[in-house]
Amino acid sequence: MTIFVIQIFNSFFYAAVLFLIAAGLSLIYGVMRIVNLAHGTLYALGAYVSAWIVGSAIGHALEGNLGLAGMLILLPIGAIAVAAVGALIEPTLLRPLYGRSEEYHLLVTFGLLMILEDVIKLLFGRTPLSAGAIMDQMGSIPVGRLMYPTYNLFVVAVGLGVAVGLWAFIYRTKFGVILRATSQDRRMAAALGINVGRVYVQAFAIGCFMAGLGGAVVVPAQAAVLGLGIEVLILAFVVVVIGGLGSLQGALVGALIVSFVRTAGIQFFPEIELAVLYLIAAAVLLVRPTGLFGRA
Amino acid sequence: MATAAATGTSIRRITIGSAIALVVLAILPQIVDPYQTVLLTYGLIMAIAALGFNLLLGYTGLLSFGHSAYFGAGAYAVAFILRDFGVHSMELCIVGGMLGTLTIAAIFGFVCVRHTRIFFGILTLALSQVLWSLAFKFFWVTGGTDGIRVPYANLTLLGGLVDFKGARSFQRFIYAYYYYVLALFAVSTILMWVIAHSPFGKALQAIRDNETRARFVGISVLRYRWIAFMISGTFTGLAGILWVPLNGLTTPDILYWPFSGEIVFMTVLGGFRSFTGPIVGAIAFNYLKTYAIASTEYWQLLLGVVLVILVMALPAGLVGTTAGLAAKFRSWTK
């Protein structure tokens, strides 16, 4: 029974991280119709930056006297850094390609993925980085006869908070209205006086921020290693394919489905755990090409 | 062949051009050192893969991001045939491997051709990842990340006429295998040329340019796409089959999705709007990657920059850009 509860907690933790990544991917697709193959690597970049800030740079400078609150405040720096990178990428690499076919979007983001993978290697080296101090200092709570790390529950709360915040941002603010208008009809929005170029930069930066935040919150629990982003990108794809590309609810439901299937898979059918996920994605695409919550 | 026959002079020019290219390729190993021969063999093998891939991208307008599946299926099929069935003949491996790849391409294609554009790309990618995860997890069958060794010494070419036992076997293998691959490359290229210029190939291009019109003309779009998918997968599978004895080892890396990205990369490098583009692109990419890896630890960065520049500045690829420049030069000298 205790194991069962812990597995449910794990699923929620995993779902929170996947949601952050997939929501960013979905937002970018929803607004500018670009499938960003470099999204997973941006997530990895966020993880590396946060781990480096908390674990190495400032952590060392203050000789470990940072305190838990200090570390938690520094943690989102990775997300902000990735958002800044995104704000640079969109006008330089993506904007010239909007008129061209999708193949070029995939190719340029694939090139970006290769570049960013090596930039991470160049900046942070080959040794894994982690910010495990946060997880240690947060301690753990008893679940039945076992202990469960409090930090994982904190991440679930962050995921929920971001989901609610993003929903409110998109459906309850003026910027959200502009964002949705641009995603519905780019030319009409431009005709109404909306600066579409600026909306695109902002939307791309927000999407990148989400990826970076996913990396930032995961890094106290697992170390940032090379190749992290390549692996996670496909899982984020599975999430958005199940939920529907461009849909926020879809990203949430997809993340829950993927993480629960995955947790159950690791427990009961470890050999085909990943294959089952990809097959679910393929099956959903076949039955409902726009996903569970997607629009055509 | 209808259009090709109509332009008799151009078909003569193409025949002469390819004959010259073939003679040059046949003489090269006599002049260059063995290492270059090996590199060129890899290049020709990847050219077969890219040719197959481009039947979908260039001629049918479908961007597959999962062609690693068919390359890997071919490679693993050879590994299984050698290890589990004790077969030594490369020809049997080719037949078995191509049948295996065809089966997988038929199943995956049947599912994938129902979609176009980005959904086609994601679906092919998801299905290729199924194979990757199986190869990765079923380590007692596939060797997991260690892969399966495929020693060239266990192979015989041409139905047992050529084997690689005894002294200096590696040098003999390299030369013999180069000509073996070259012959298969020539056959594949001719075959693909015929397919691309046949009424079937024209129908694919019609589907690419306007699906609705193609359907109105009476082309059964899904069936044509499916057949193109199977041909494409089988060609890429043949490349995987030929690749594995040269590499000596098959690992899940060739099933992983970044490898599919490399196949897309080389095709775009050469130019996917021309028939020869993928061939030139694959050989050029192979040299580019080899020298990038040899010269810097950050070779991915280098290749990424090349890809980005290519997409931004030279979307027609090497062949398309050269052809464009040549046309401009001709009109300028007139």
Side-chain angles (χ1 to χ4, degrees):
Chain A
M1 188 60 204
T2 313
I3 297 286
F4 187 64
V5 173
I6 283 185
Q7 293 291 21
I8 288 179
F9 280 176
N10 277 339
S11 303
F12 277 120
F13 166 74
Y14 202 58
V17 176
L18 266 181
F19 167 73
L20 289 175
I21 305 164
L25 191 67
S26 209
L27 181 77
I28 291 171
Y29 180 81
V31 176
M32 48 198 86
R33 305 281 145 188
I34 280 193
V35 172
N36 182 11
L37 288 178
H39 201 73
T41 311
L42 289 167
Y43 154 84
L45 184 65
Y48 267 97
V49 171
S50 284
W52 182 72
I53 295 272
V54 172
S56 315
I58 296 181
H60 274 218
L62 297 177
E63 287 159 350
N65 294 326
L66 202 53
L68 183 60
M71 287 193 285
L72 282 178
I73 290 169
L74 288 177
L75 201 60
I77 288 182
I80 294 164
V82 175
V85 170
L88 278 178
I89 289 171
E90 199 276 340
T92 49
L93 295 181
L94 300 180
R95 191 166 296 169
L97 298 180
Y98 288 133
R100 308 241 301 262
S101 62
E102 286 162 334
E103 286 89 48
Y104 294 107
H105 302 164
L106 284 179
L107 279 168
V108 93
T109 53
F110 186 69
L112 194 62
L113 173 148
M114 295 174 94
I115 295 172
L116 284 174
E117 283 286 323
D118 265 8
V119 165
I120 290 175
K121 207 192 316 177
L122 191 70
L123 290 179
F124 302 104
R126 290 167 182 281
T127 35
L129 291 182
S130 99
I134 291 183
M135 193 146 168
D136 298 341
Q137 289 198 19
M138 270 207 168
S140 40
I141 53 163
V143 176
R145 288 163 288 106
L146 297 168
M147 300 299 276
Y148 194 73
T150 318
Y151 181 77
N152 285 15
L153 298 177
F154 171 76
V155 170
V156 175
V158 169
L160 269 178
V162 170
V164 172
L166 201 62
W167 179 83
F169 183 62
I170 291 178
Y171 291 98
R172 289 285 178 274
T173 65
K174 186 162 178 240
F175 180 77
V177 175
I178 294 175
L179 200 67
R180 281 182 288 144
T182 315
S183 105
Q184 290 263 327
D185 191 333
R186 186 190 164 162
R187 285 177 62 195
M188 193 64 204
L192 289 172
I194 292 169
N195 185 345
V196 172
R198 203 172 66 199
V199 174
Y200 274 25
V201 178
Q202 287 161 339
F204 195 76
I206 295 171
C208 291
F209 178 84
M210 302 281 287
L213 191 62
V217 297
V218 90
V219 89
Q222 331 169 339
V225 291
L226 290 174
L228 182 72
I230 294 185
E231 198 186 316
V232 91
L233 176 74
I234 304 301
L235 284 174
F237 263 168
V238 171
V239 169
V240 294
V241 160
I242 292 176
L245 266 169
S247 153
L248 194 60
Q249 303 97 297
L252 190 60
V253 174
L256 285 168
I257 292 176
V258 167
S259 44
F260 271 88
V261 169
R262 190 147 194 218
T263 315
I266 291 169
Q267 188 85 358
F268 300 114
F269 41 92
E271 289 86 12
I272 52 168
E273 159 243 329
L274 283 169
V276 164
L277 281 180
Y278 303 131
L279 286 174
I280 291 177
V284 168
L285 260 182
L286 205 59
V287 183
R288 267 187 75 95
T290 52
L292 298 178
F293 292 88
R295 291 170 288 126
Chain B
M1 293 293 276
T3 49
T7 51
T9 47
S10 86
I11 201 165
R12 193 186 303 148
R13 205 194 285 162
I14 290 168
T15 317
I16 293 170
S18 1
I20 293 172
L22 207 59
V23 169
V24 170
L25 282 173
I27 296 173
L28 267 180
Q30 313 299 329
I31 329 170
V32 297
D33 60 276
Y35 176 64
Q36 296 296 334
T37 308
V38 173
L39 278 188
L40 199 56
T41 317
Y42 275 118
L44 291 175
I45 290 170
M46 291 319 293
I48 300 176
L51 267 178
F53 169 80
N54 201 40
L55 185 69
L56 280 185
L57 177 62
Y59 288 90
T60 323
L62 295 170
L63 172 59
S64 157
F65 235 88
H67 257 50
S68 63
Y70 316 108
F71 193 92
Y76 271 95
V78 172
F80 291 146
I81 291 169
L82 278 181
R83 188 190 62 183
D84 301 333
F85 297 98
V87 169
H88 296 298
S89 158
M90 189 65 198
E91 287 73 31
L92 283 179
C93 287
I94 290 176
V95 172
M98 281 176 80
L99 283 176
T101 327
L102 178 66
T103 314
I104 289 173
I107 298 168
F108 284 9
F110 184 77
V111 176
C112 293
V113 294
R114 265 132 243 280
H115 295 286
T116 54
R117 291 155 33 102
I118 202 74
F119 294 108
F120 178 82
I122 296 180
L123 200 50
T124 49
L125 190 139
L127 288 173
S128 78
Q129 287 297 100
V130 172
L131 288 194
W132 169 76
S133 70
L134 293 180
F136 186 69
K137 296 264 178 148
F138 283 86
F139 53 87
W140 57 94
V141 185
T142 61
T145 44
D146 291 344
I148 307 172
R149 259 167 50 75
V150 180
Y152 68 90
N154 286 358
L155 279 172
T156 60
L157 302 182
L158 303 177
L161 281 178
V162 185
D163 66 1
F164 305 104
K165 301 262 187 274
R168 287 179 57 81
S169 65
F170 186 63
Q171 277 84 347
R172 280 195 296 124
F173 170 73
I174 288 193
Y175 279 106
Y177 202 64
Y178 174 80
Y179 287 106
Y180 194 74
V181 169
L182 182 63
L184 282 168
F185 164 76
V187 172
S188 307
T189 310
I190 293 168
L191 203 60
M192 187 53 91
W193 199 88
V194 170
I195 292 171
H197 292 80
S198 69
F200 172 73
K202 296 290 173 198
L204 292 183
Q205 292 167 51
I207 293 171
R208 173 195 72 194
D209 292 335
N210 194 329
E211 192 186 330
T212 321
R213 275 197 190 176
R215 189 173 287 127
F216 282 174
V217 181
I219 297 170
S220 47
V221 172
L222 284 191
R223 210 181 65 207
Y224 273 66
R225 276 201 191 124
W226 188 37
I227 295 171
F229 196 104
M230 288 192 275
I231 298 172
S232 172
T234 311
F235 268 77
T236 308
L238 174 64
I241 294 165
L242 292 173
W243 175 84
V244 71
L246 194 61
N247 194 57
L249 178 75
T250 172
T251 58
D253 285 347
I254 52 163
L255 285 165
Y256 205 26
W257 73 270
F259 187 72
S260 300
E262 281 190 12
I263 298 177
V264 185
F265 188 162
M266 54 185 82
T267 309
V268 174
L269 178 66
F272 64 91
R273 284 295 190 207
S274 64
F275 181 79
T276 45
I279 302 174
V280 174
I283 296 172
F285 177 84
N286 190 56
Y287 278 104
L288 186 69
K289 186 177 171 182
T290 310
Y291 286 106
I293 290 177
S295 57
T296 165
E297 189 190 349
Y298 303 104
W299 57 273
Q300 270 205 99
L301 183 77
L302 199 71
L303 289 182
V305 170
V306 169
L307 182 58
V308 168
I309 292 174
L310 206 63
V311 173
M312 307 295 258
L314 304 172
L318 295 175
V319 172
T321 310
T322 317
L325 285 178
K328 211 178 258 175
F329 181 73
R330 237 175 282 135
S331 68
W332 183 65
T333 49
K334 249 177 210 165

